[in-house]
Structures are given as C-alpha cells and as structure tokens.
Amino acid sequence: MPSYTAPTKDMQFILHEMLKVSQSDVPGYDELEPEFTSAVLEEAGKISSEVLHPLNVVGDTQGCTLENGVVRTPEGFKAAFDQMRDGGWPGLDMPEEFGGQNMPYVLNTAVGEMFSSSNQAFTMYQGLTHGAASAILAHGSDQQKATYLPKMVSCEWTGTMNLTESHCGTDLGLMRTKADPQDDGSYKITGQKIFISSGEHDMADNIIHLVLAKIAGGPEGIKGVSLFIVPKFLVNEDGSLGARNGVACGNIEEKMGIHGNSTCVMNYDGATGYLLGEEHKGMRAMFTMMNEARLGVGMQGLAQAEIAYQNALFYAKDRLQGRDVTGAKNPDGPADPLIVHPDIRRSLMDQKSFAEGARAFILWGASMIDSAHRKGDKDADGLVSLLTPVIKGFLTDQGYDMTVQAQQVYGGHGYIEEWGMSQFTRDARIAMIYEGANGVQALDLVGRKLAQDGGKHVMAFFEMVKSFAKENAGKDEAFDRDFLEPLKSASKDLQAAGMYFMQQGVKNPNNALAGSYDFMHMFGHVCLGLVWAQMALAARAALDAGTQDPTFYETKLATGRYYMARRLPATKMHLARIESGADPVMTLDAANF
Amino acid sequence: MPSYTAPTKDMQFILHEMLKVSQSDVPGYDELEPEFTSAVLEEAGKISSEVLHPLNVVGDTQGCTLENGVVRTPEGFKAAFDQMRDGGWPGLDMPEEFGGQNMPYVLNTAVGEMFSSSNQAFTMYQGLTHGAASAILAHGSDQQKATYLPKMVSCEWTGTMNLTESHCGTDLGLMRTKADPQDDGSYKITGQKIFISSGEHDMADNIIHLVLAKIAGGPEGIKGVSLFIVPKFLVNEDGSLGARNGVACGNIEEKMGIHGNSTCVMNYDGATGYLLGEEHKGMRAMFTMMNEARLGVGMQGLAQAEIAYQNALFYAKDRLQGRDVTGAKNPDGPADPLIVHPDIRRSLMDQKSFAEGARAFILWGASMIDSAHRKGDKDADGLVSLLTPVIKGFLTDQGYDMTVQAQQVYGGHGYIEEWGMSQFTRDARIAMIYEGANGVQALDLVGRKLAQDGGKHVMAFFEMVKSFAKENAGKDEAFDRDFLEPLKSASKDLQAAGMYFMQQGVKNPNNALAGSYDFMHMFGHVCLGLVWAQMALAARAALDAGTQDPTFYETKLATGRYYMARRLPATKMHLARIESGADPVMTLDAANF
C-alpha cells in the first residue's frame, strides 16, 4: 500500500524564496505571507494524506458502475467529497461573492498538486467543476452566474465539459451535436458526447454540463460552434431543482486508469440548454480557460511523478538487495538497500530533480496567470500563453516517464497491482492525452504561439534567460559552472532550433512542424534549467545568510546540479533531430508505411 | 478490435538479403532456403493472426482464475494450445531425438516474434516450457532427458522457472527455499516462490517446475544454490503420471498486463525434487540459457512495438481529423487522415524505424547464437554475450516507448480499453522487468561484459563497425552521407563513453556504473544504426539489380535514413550524461533524498 506525504516544505521554498510571492505587487499576493500559506498547505496536505490518498487504490479497484442510468462512485468517495466541500477547498480561488475565498491561483495550484497526487481520479470531479464554473464566470450573464455559481463554487453541484464526439476530438469543427432555438430563448440540445469526465455520478445534487453544439443554420465548421449550459436537473427561479433534463449517461468507459472517475458517454435528447456567451463563439469561450486547464493537466504530470517518486524512494531505502560495489553499507544485514546502487540513484535523481523543477515551473506559470488576471499584465499573459503547451506537453510526458521509472525501482513488485505503482503510471498516462493530446500542444507551440504578437513573447523569454545569466554571472564560480553555463548552452540550442524553424519553415512549414515535438521538449528542459538556476540562487542566498537548515539547501543545490548535468543535455539531441528537417519525416507516401 | 498482420516480407528480407542465412556455413543453415523459410513464416503468421491474436483481448479481459488450487486460463486458450502442439510449433528448434524439428534458432526467433506480437501472455506458456526444456537438455542426465524432454518439446507437459522469492529477486543469494537430501537421491523441496509465470494452469497434463533452492549444509549465498526438477505429478518409470507432488499454487497475482498468463505464488511443501546438473551449481545452469532467454525478452519488446505500430498506422490512415497545412489531401472528405500531420508521421516513423531495426538486430543476435551453438564459434558467442543485455534492455525500453507512442496516435481512444492499444503498453511493460530488470542489464553490460575476456568482444565490435564503414565507403555518396557518417559519429560517441569508463572507472567504479543505463541505450542505438546501414546496403543492391519491387527497397532506405537522422543523435545526449560522471548521481546522502 503506497503512502503520500505532502511536499509542503518544498512548496514554501518555491513560493517564498524563489518566487517571493508576498513581496509581489500582484493584488492579493500580500496575503500570501509564509505563515498563512504554510497553514493552508499543511491543512491541504493533511486531507490529501489522510482522506484522499487512502481512497486512491479503492477507486482504482472498484471503479465506477452504471446501473439503470445511475453511476455509483467507489466506496468512500461521497463522504470524502462532502469533507472537501465542508472544508471549502473547491472555492479556494473563486470570487467571494459566489462563496469562494478569492485566493490567488498560485496557491490553488500548490494545493491542487497535493489533491492530484493523492487521488487524481477523485480530484477530477472538483477540477472539472472548477473549469465549468470559470467558464460561467467569464462568459455567463448575471442571472446565469447567480443561478449556478454559488452551488458550483461550493461543489454542491458539479460541472462537466462536453467537447468530444466519437468521430471528432481535436477537430471540433466536425461536430454534429445540434442546438435548436426555442421561443423562450433556450435551445434543445441533441447529440452524443463521449469521454465526459465526471459526466454522471452520485456525489452531487445536480450536474451542470457545458456542451459545445452547433446552432441550426449557423456557419460551417468550427465557426458555427456555440457553448451551452445544460443542467442535469432544470433549476427553478427560486433556485430549487425542477424536472430532470433530457440528458443521460449511456455508458461508462473501461479505461487504462483513473477508474475512480466516471468517464461517460452522454446522450442529449432534446435537452434544454442555455447559450453561454455569444452565438457561434463557443470555441472562444472554451479558449479563455485553456491556459488554466492545460496548466492544471501539466500539474497532474508532476503530481503523479511526485507520489510515484516518494514510494520508489521508500522502497529503495527499505528493500535489501545486492551490495554497494565500493563496500557494504549495511554490513550487518543480509544485503544493502537498493539506494546504494548507482543506477537506482540515477533513477531516483531523475525523478527528484524532475518533480522539484516541474513544481517550480508550474508555480511560476501560475503566478504569471495571477499577474495577467489580477494585474492585467499583458507580458505575463503572453509569456504564460507561450509556455502553456510546454507545461502541458513536456510535464505530462516527462511525468509519465518518471512514474515508469519509479515503477521500475520495484522490479516485479512494480508490475503487480498490490504495491500501487502500476496505478501511478496508468493514471498518469491520461494527462498526455486529454485537454489536447501532446502532439497538438507541440503544434500549438510551434504553429501558433511562437509567432504570436510578432514573436514578441518568445523573444522576451530568451531575453529573460539572457539577462538572468548576465545579472548573476561572475559572483560564484560554482554557480556559473554548474548552472549558468549549462543553461546558456541549452538556451542557445533552443534559439538555434527557433532560427531553423524561421529560416526553413518559410520554405516549407513541415520543416517546423516535423520538429515541433522535439522543440516542445527542448523548451521544457530550458524552462526547468532556468527555474533550477533560480532555485539554486535562492538556496545559495539562504546558505550565505547562515540558515539553520543547511542540509535542505545543499540538497537543493545538489539536485539542481544533477538536472543541469544529466537532464539538460537532451537539448543537443533534440536540436540534431530538428535540424534534420522535414524530409526524413515526410518522404514516404502514406501507402508505403 | 486491433488486428495483426505477420511481417513475413520484412523477415524474409532480413534473413536472405541482409543476413544471407542460406549462404552461411553454420550447420543447418543450408536448409534455410527462401522458399522454405517463407513457407514456415507464412504458416506461423497465419496461426498468429487467425488463432492467437483473436484470443489476445479475451486473455486480457478474462485473465486467469484460481479456485481450490485449480487455475483456469481464459476461454479458448486450451484449444489454441492444442492447435500449437498439433502444429509442432513448440519444438521447432528442439533436437529431433526428442521430437523436435532441429531448426536453427534464428528461424525460431522470427516465428516467436509473431506469436509474441499476436498474444504475449499465451506465448509465454510455451516460452517458459522452452526455457525449462533447454535447461534439462543442457544439464540433465540421460534419464532426465528421456523422462521429460519428449513431453516438454511437444508441450504436452509445460515447464516453469522458479527463481524469485518475496524478499529476493535480483539478489538470489538471499534465497530461503531449502532442499533436503533423501536416501533415494531425491530431495524434499520446501519454500515459497513468487512471480512464477505459467506456474499452474489447465492446458497440460503435467507441469515441470525448475526450482532454485539451497541444499542444507551447502555454502552461503549464491554459491549454495542448486537447481531442481520438481514435477507437478511425479512420473512413473513407464512414463505414466504418478502421485501429485507437494507443490501447489497459493495465489495468482493481479498484474498491470499479461493477464492471460497465470503468474503464481508457488508453495513447495516437502515436494520431491531431482537435482538438475551439479550440486551448488544452480546459477551456472541458469546462466547457460541466459543469452537465449534475454534475447527472447528483447524480442517481446519488438513484438509489442510491431503490433502497436500496425494498429496505430491503421488508425492514422483511417481517422479523419484536421487538414494538411500544405493543402488538403482528402478535399472531398470532411477532413484529412491523421497521417498527413507531420507529428503523427514523426511518431509513426519512430515506430516503424525501430521495429524494422530491432528485428534485424534480434535476428542477427539469434544467428550469432546459432553460430556459437552449431559451429562452436567462440567469437560469435563472445559478441552475442556482450550484446545480450543491450538486446534485452534497450529493445524492451524502446519497445515500450513505441507502444506508448502508438497508443498516443489514438488520442482518447487509446486510453479506453475498447481499441486494444492500452493492452499493448500494459503487456509490453513487463519485458523491462523480468529476466533481469533493465538496470541489471546495464550493470551486466558495464560491470561485466565490457571487460570480459580482456575487453576483446567490445573491441571486436568496434573493429567490425570500422571495417564495415571502410569496406563500404566511397561507393555511393548518398549512402556515405545518410548512413556511414551518422554511424561513424555514433560509434565514436560510444567509444568515447567506453574510454571514459576505462579512465574514470579505475578511480571510482561508480563513474562507470552511474553511466551504465545511458551506455546501454547508446550501444543499442549504435547497433540499430549498424543493422540499418547493412539493410540499406542490401536494399541498394536489390535496386541496382533491377528488382521488380522497387517501392519496398526505397521504403526501406527512407526508413533507415529516418533512423540515422532522427534516432541516432541520442548518442550525443547519452555521452554528455555519462561524462558528467558519478558525482551528480552519488553526492546525496540517502537520508537527504
């Protein structure tokens, strides 16, 4: 049975020593004093370890069941959901006027990592609700907000997002679900949606579905798609629940993982729906939440890597097998613990340096979203928009790989379900797919984001790395050698790739697109290199100031050095691949594969 | 529902145009004329597609069940096993005197790939039998051979290998299972073994367990381990089955994949066992089969990558989603097929170039095993022994990654079980673990094999690459540029890594061991680069000779160019990691992770 310990100390380090949130001028950040964030994080960590995590294996084993249209969630989920609701966790970063606590997104993200680590399938019920509520908040009428938000912010009602149909996932222009306008201003929604997470369940009185559909007579393709609110139970004017709406769960999918979350086929049979935002502007309404949603999925990659690492580490210290080649470390025992073996350490350091770097990257990203939303900072908005596909694609790919590495530490015990390591990989796998498959993230990055606003944001990124290096060079030889030099070299590789795309992409866009996946990974490594250098500076500062806890900061430095020395050189490989251009990729006729 | 088409054409190309088997002087290879191997491969392909593959999903869904000590295999497994037996497939490469057909191992390996692709869990029942029979063949007395081999070669009886105990996997010296000598020369075996593939089932009249155990009073640790034959039913002198032996399945494991194979906890309770080979030489007896067994597992990595690729390709051609950025390819349809998108092609080319390269690498390895066994070729034996951990570790890691990539092509449809893509990744995952986890392979490669016989075999490998490049340079500019130059560059990286190990490993062995995993992958890439260059030469030769099928050979060349341009540059990354040495890996105290 695996265990989970919330990494609150590391989060505090990132928030206060690297990002220095409480010194920021972003409105609301002044509340984020170390004592306050510590109290919130500890409390969230407690509920994660004690309430959510014990249900993780239960959810995987029992899954959800559908009988006569009713979906039952695994044993204990409902009681835990009540507890989350009672604790006010779902509304942590939601506006006070709808019952939320108006905390910055950066804090919500740190809390979300713990919930996700301890039980991803469970946390998705409130995660989807958060997404749907955010859409109503951004695009709803006052009446819609008043009707739905208070109940959704508290998670008395939950929410869903209905995009995919069986024949269209990424290419939503092919959508067939129809919306027929009614005389009273509402619409009748008819069609079938698939892969609807939390689509139907027994943990809330009502479920508010946000559904993409085409209004009859509207433009063809993606430009004719609108967004609708379709409640499971219609809501009376006094806020009480009315008749059951014409929407039902037709099936729940058998999946590789996240068994505790009900992934539903949803059938809309003339269901009453209400337009959310403008006609034919459904995609735009979805896109306003995209940065947050994708950052949230990137966070899931980290979250599963973190818990998998914690349990791999436990096993590596506990399991006795073989001897240290440089001399026994446990001479009185029958063998040394696994952790003495260099290749086990290599794997653990891969995992540790990824998890800590990814956490810093995500919290930095979340702080930019705060800056954009709370301060109207357009540069932050542009930069986080550029980095969003990197956060989503790179962190979920790497996060998955780390769960596989963690599973590997267990040998055969990692393959059987008993130890729980298999679940981490099976759950982590979905994050590479949903909210835009990672190939689509790479396309978004290279095909859209690089050139956005005349390439301003990517240039700003390189400028930021450059000035960071300049400002901090020459003060500490070890820092220059171990952090700045590798960062500069990796950043140079990334720039060379960008230059290749500019020069060769003009001749043939496939010269850029064929390298998009490598570019996304390269970019991710450079970002992790940057945040590691920033964390190293913060750690140095603490050591120089005579910290009471030198081991923590020295460990931080050593972990960072590992990332720079052992992970960052991946940029060399990616650059070589990119510079081979489109020809090797595109040359075969489809028929000759 | 996925499908499987046996890649017999590609196998024929490798056997006859790259390896030129029927021109070899290895005894028995003269029988391997193209018409003959084609007939065997086609027949094996047929049974794979038509009999084994339809049971793959059945096995995954139903799994095995244990009731009152009886293990039931999934529906249809028994009938299919009968069919395999009737076709004589289990004994294809076994000696004629025991009912086999004495075919070379290289042919058996090609056939095994198809069986494994179409149903890995099922094929393991005969795979384990083959391993156990090989051990008896190599170490058994005449009486033991006569008693067990005819039935095992035909698979009337199946076999198992019992190594692991709950507290020891890799470190078998910690073993607790005891063997008490009896007056009649037999032993009483007592202990518990875990993770015993095919340990108990309903498809054979008897199961012959090979069990590692310690004879009371023998040396401590690994030097006191002996190997025993422990039949489920004792065998009377006339060959008929006698009393049930004191061995029983205590439990079957819930696993991530290969559900169709029963992974058993086996309890030995004073079971009658017969010493196989010499007292206290159990490990040596196991090791004689190691090269074959590990090559067989490496082949499983290829096998799952192959079938996953086939189904990803089908979907990429079939699924309409989005448009080619350079202009619609299916203008009359609602969208273009996925395969028009550069990143989908990148993924497909990764998979295709891996599968074809891995197949060539494995068949080359199998031909060296034939050369060693049939011709007593010591150089071949040394080389294949060096390459065995590479075949096992590299091909199963990469094979797994390819199944993940194939699954990704399906988007959300890859995550649900309905399409079968999840099973390929879940089944492929075990190959990275069993038969020595891949970290142990890396340790074997760097800690043992590199220095074996004074480093003779690794030097022979580099010499081989060098003379290959020399012999074939300067004849064809495109071949030099696209194949030889990348091969030479990657081989140089590998040599630099080997040199680093030699120089720095003397100071501290961890400088070598901390880079062992990267070295294993680097070596794998160089081997695939080498076989791709060899295949390219063969393809060029066919084109020059005016082949009737130029498309096949041009596709082969294009696929090889992809591997050289896009996959081989990984050696640069691995070298940089290796040259960072042990310090980043080893610096943290275990307590500070």
Side-chain angles (χ1 to χ4, degrees), chain A residues 165-171 174 194-195 253-258 309 313 317 319-322 325-326 334-335 339-340 342-343 345-346 348-349 352 400 404 407-408 411-413 415-418 422 425-427 429-430 432-433 437-439 508-510 513-518 551 555 558-559 561-562 565-567 569-570 572-573 576-578 580-582 584-593, chain B residues 165-171 174 194-195 253-258 309 313 317 319-322 325-326 334-335 339-340 342-343 345-346 348-349 352 400 404 407-408 411-413 415-418 422 425-427 429-430 432-433 437-439 508-510 513-518 551 555 558-559 561-562 565-567 569-570 572-573 576-578 580-582 584-593:
Chain A
E165 300 181 6
S166 65
H167 63 288
C168 68
T170 300
D171 191 352
L174 303 176
I194 67 166
F195 301 159
E253 305 285 359
E254 296 290 331
K255 308 183 299 290
M256 185 175 176
I258 52 166
Y309 164 66
L313 177 60
K317 289 178 174 179
R319 173 89 169 173
L320 305 180
Q321 207 80 175
V325 290
T326 63
I339 200 170
V340 306
D343 189 60
R345 276 181 175 261
R346 188 240 352 126
L348 292 172
M349 290 300 293
K352 180 177 171 64
Y400 177 72
V404 173
Q407 183 186 25
Q408 188 74 11
H413 296 277
Y415 194 67
I416 60 174
E417 297 293 349
E418 190 183 337
S422 154
T425 76
R426 290 184 291 97
D427 286 358
R429 183 68 184 86
I430 187 60
M432 296 158 71
I433 297 171
N438 286 356
N508 176 0
N510 287 341
L513 297 180
S516 59
Y517 213 86
D518 282 288
T551 302
T555 299
T559 309
R561 280 198 301 270
Y562 181 89
R566 288 254 167 182
R567 306 293 296 170
K572 293 181 205 301
M573 170 185 75
R577 286 182 187 165
I578 285 169
S580 74
V585 178
M586 303 304 292
T587 204
L588 286 188
D589 275 353
N592 295 336
F593 267 80
Chain B
E165 300 180 8
S166 65
H167 62 289
C168 69
T170 300
D171 190 353
L174 304 175
I194 66 167
F195 301 159
E253 306 284 359
E254 296 290 331
K255 308 184 297 289
M256 186 175 176
I258 51 165
Y309 164 66
L313 177 60
K317 288 178 175 179
R319 173 89 169 172
L320 304 181
Q321 207 79 176
V325 291
T326 63
I339 199 169
V340 305
D343 189 61
R345 275 180 175 261
R346 187 238 356 124
L348 293 172
M349 290 300 293
K352 180 177 171 66
Y400 177 71
V404 173
Q407 184 186 24
Q408 188 74 10
H413 296 278
Y415 195 67
I416 61 174
E417 296 293 350
E418 190 183 338
S422 154
T425 76
R426 290 185 291 98
D427 286 359
R429 183 68 185 85
I430 188 59
M432 296 158 69
I433 297 171
N438 287 355
N508 176 0
N510 287 340
L513 297 180
S516 59
Y517 213 85
D518 282 288
T551 303
T555 299
T559 308
R561 279 198 303 269
Y562 181 89
R566 288 253 167 182
R567 306 293 296 169
K572 291 181 204 303
M573 171 185 75
R577 286 182 186 165
I578 286 168
S580 73
V585 178
M586 304 304 292
T587 202
L588 286 187
D589 274 354
N592 296 336
F593 267 79

Side-chain angles (χ1 to χ4, degrees), chain A residues 172-356:
Chain A
L172 290 168
L174 303 176
M175 182 172 297
R176 290 179 194 142
T177 298
K178 285 270 171 295
D180 287 321
Q182 305 296 302
D183 292 342
D184 64 355
S186 72
Y187 293 78
K188 291 286 178 206
I189 312 291
T190 304
Q192 188 181 66
K193 296 286 180 175
I194 67 166
F195 301 159
I196 308 309
S197 299
S198 322
E200 177 58 47
H201 59 84
D202 55 1
M203 302 199 295
D205 296 334
N206 203 4
I207 301 176
I208 310 305
H209 303 289
L210 297 196
V211 183
L212 286 178
K214 285 181 172 173
I215 299 173
E220 286 291 298
I222 198 74
K223 288 177 182 157
V225 168
S226 307
L227 186 59
F228 297 90
I229 299 175
V230 185
K232 175 177 168 185
F233 291 99
L234 296 173
V235 183
N236 297 321
E237 281 198 16
D238 65 356
S240 64
L241 295 186
R244 177 79 193 241
N245 202 355
V247 48
C249 170
N251 191 24
I252 52 179
E253 305 285 359
E254 296 290 331
K255 308 183 299 290
M256 185 175 176
I258 52 166
H259 295 159
N261 194 273
S262 58
T263 304
C264 300
V265 174
M266 297 303 296
N267 294 319
Y268 293 86
D269 188 13
T272 298
Y274 310 101
L275 186 68
L276 178 59
E278 294 175 56
E279 268 191 2
H280 312 317
K281 299 280 168 65
M283 289 312 292
R284 193 190 292 175
M286 298 298 305
F287 269 106
T288 53
M289 297 163 303
M290 208 66 102
N291 287 347
E292 275 183 56
R294 291 185 169 175
L295 186 136
V297 175
M299 184 263 280
Q300 292 177 343
L302 155 64
Q304 292 307 304
E306 169 66 32
I307 188 168
Y309 164 66
Q310 289 187 14
N311 287 283
L313 177 60
F314 163 80
Y315 195 75
K317 289 178 174 179
D318 186 67
R319 173 89 169 173
L320 305 180
Q321 207 80 175
R323 288 292 183 190
D324 187 331
V325 290
T326 63
K329 289 287 180 295
N330 176 33
D332 299 334
D336 288 342
L338 284 181
I339 200 170
V340 306
H341 301 298
D343 189 60
I344 295 286
R345 276 181 175 261
R346 188 240 352 126
S347 170
L348 292 172
M349 290 300 293
D350 276 358
Q351 296 169 55
K352 180 177 171 64
S353 66
F354 168 75
E356 295 178 15

